[in-house]
Amino acid sequence: MSTSPLVSVIVPTKNVERTVESCLRSIRTQSLTDIELIVVDNFSTDHTFEIASRYADLAIQAGPERSAQRNLAVERSSGRYILWIDADMVLTPRVVEDAVSAAERTGSSAVFIPEVTVGDGFLAACRTLERRCYVGEEMIEAPRLIRREFFEEQGGFVLTVAGQEDADLRMRLLRIQAPMTRIDAPILHDEGRLTVRDVLRKRYYYGQSLPAYNDAQPGAIAAQGLATVRAYLRGVPVLVGDPVHALALAGLRLAEGVAYAAGAAKAVRSR
């Protein structure tokens, strides 16, 4: 009989039939098998929910946003640990086992899991380069595995924040100096074939939650900006090794900043 603690892996979805099967299959083929898989689908109009129903222990439909979907999944789950990923992510085979082992060994409340961007085209290569600079920077990365009782004590994800909910939880954990650790086994983040228009549209949308995030975590936006600069300075050897994508990344980051600001300004005007 297995003595491993049960892990509830939670995946919110909406119209992601391109990536969801690879995502869910990667969960089902983990080296640790004591896993319950819960998918909360935001009323997809493609085949997402049909695919999810074939793989999940529990597949339900609910919205309105990712934070609410995740909170509902936790309420319906029973694992000692909670692990959340997005539907465009693929777990390498030992992610769950290594994360649980690290938490158990160190007594940590949460575990950071590195992400590696994969995808097609020039912008995906820029994202890959960017993430290489971010590894190990706790003010940019966010923990993805957490002990259930600790998650519940923290009140789950904030419903008013869409896009920064992981960062908000991380800031709460840092503020109370919760013990956290990290593993090396990565999550592969499938960005697909990115376009500038798609990137800026998403940043504009996320920007609309920035005022709420700032209200919940005063000073966090500035601290993350400084952490980003620090990560790029530490990653100079990586950036210099790929100057074409590094220069394009600098331009993309500037455009993203403008999109974030525009989204935040819209949110402020609508208050």
Side-chain angles (χ1 to χ4, degrees):
M1 176 186 261
S2 173
T3 59
S4 299
L6 181 67
V7 181
S8 300
V9 182
I10 289 166
V11 185
T13 60
K14 183 173 183 178
N15 294 334
V16 286
E17 65 179 2
R18 183 184 73 84
T19 60
V20 68
E21 186 159 18
S22 294
C23 171
L24 302 182
R25 188 185 299 121
S26 77
I27 297 167
R28 283 305 186 202
T29 56
Q30 287 292 291
S31 58
L32 187 148
T33 57
D34 291 317
I35 290 173
E36 65 171 359
L37 172 56
I38 301 177
V39 175
V40 182
D41 179 67
N42 193 357
F43 304 100
S44 291
T45 56
D46 61 7
H47 296 291
T48 295
F49 189 66
E50 175 187 334
I51 296 168
S53 298
R54 295 202 301 264
Y55 285 90
D57 295 298
L58 176 63
I60 53 181
Q61 290 189 297
E65 284 285 358
R66 194 168 60 187
S67 292
Q69 290 174 271
R70 288 173 172 178
N71 285 346
L72 176 60
V74 173
E75 291 175 11
R76 301 288 295 273
S77 70
S78 55
R80 185 190 306 175
Y81 289 96
I82 307 297
L83 172 66
W84 57 87
I85 64 171
D86 296 333
D88 58 357
M89 294 177 174
V90 170
L91 302 182
T92 52
R94 291 190 57 87
V95 163
V96 179
E97 182 174 359
D98 287 0
V100 170
S101 294
E104 295 278 284
R105 184 177 65 254
T106 63
S108 294
S109 300
V111 180
F112 288 91
I113 303 172
E115 290 182 30
V116 175
T117 292
V118 297
D120 301 321
F122 187 82
L123 289 185
C126 292
R127 279 282 183 253
T128 300
L129 186 66
E130 179 182 34
R131 286 196 184 276
R132 289 178 62 191
C133 296
Y134 291 166
V135 173
E137 181 50 69
E138 67 178 12
M139 284 296 295
I140 299 177
E141 296 184 308
R144 289 196 173 274
L145 180 115
I146 190 169
R147 293 180 187 266
R148 166 182 292 279
E149 67 271 18
F150 205 79
F151 181 86
E152 292 174 345
E153 288 171 6
Q154 291 302 307
F157 290 105
V158 176
L159 298 181
T160 57
V161 175
Q164 299 88 28
E165 68 273 18
D166 291 343
D168 174 81
L169 181 58
R170 177 198 63 217
M171 295 305 296
R172 283 183 272 158
L173 297 175
L174 290 173
R175 186 172 60 247
I176 64 174
Q177 298 183 325
M180 294 186 280
T181 188
R182 61 179 61 247
I183 62 172
D184 294 327
I187 292 172
L188 306 182
H189 191 168
D190 183 0
E191 301 271 14
R193 182 170 288 278
L194 291 172
T195 68
V196 172
R197 181 179 181 181
D198 289 340
V199 170
L200 298 186
R201 183 188 300 116
K202 181 179 289 188
R203 297 302 177 259
Y204 177 77
Y205 175 70
Y206 287 163
Q208 294 175 54
S209 290
L210 284 178
Y213 177 50
N214 186 63
D215 290 343
Q217 302 294 339
I221 295 174
Q224 287 172 219
L226 290 174
T228 301
V229 173
R230 185 166 61 242
Y232 286 151
L233 290 175
R234 189 176 61 245
V236 163
V238 173
L239 298 171
V240 169
D242 191 350
V244 174
H245 289 109
L247 287 172
L249 175 60
L252 182 63
R253 290 293 294 170
L254 179 62
E256 287 180 302
V258 173
Y260 270 127
K266 177 184 178 182
V268 169
R269 288 194 302 271
S270 65
R271 284 186 168 185

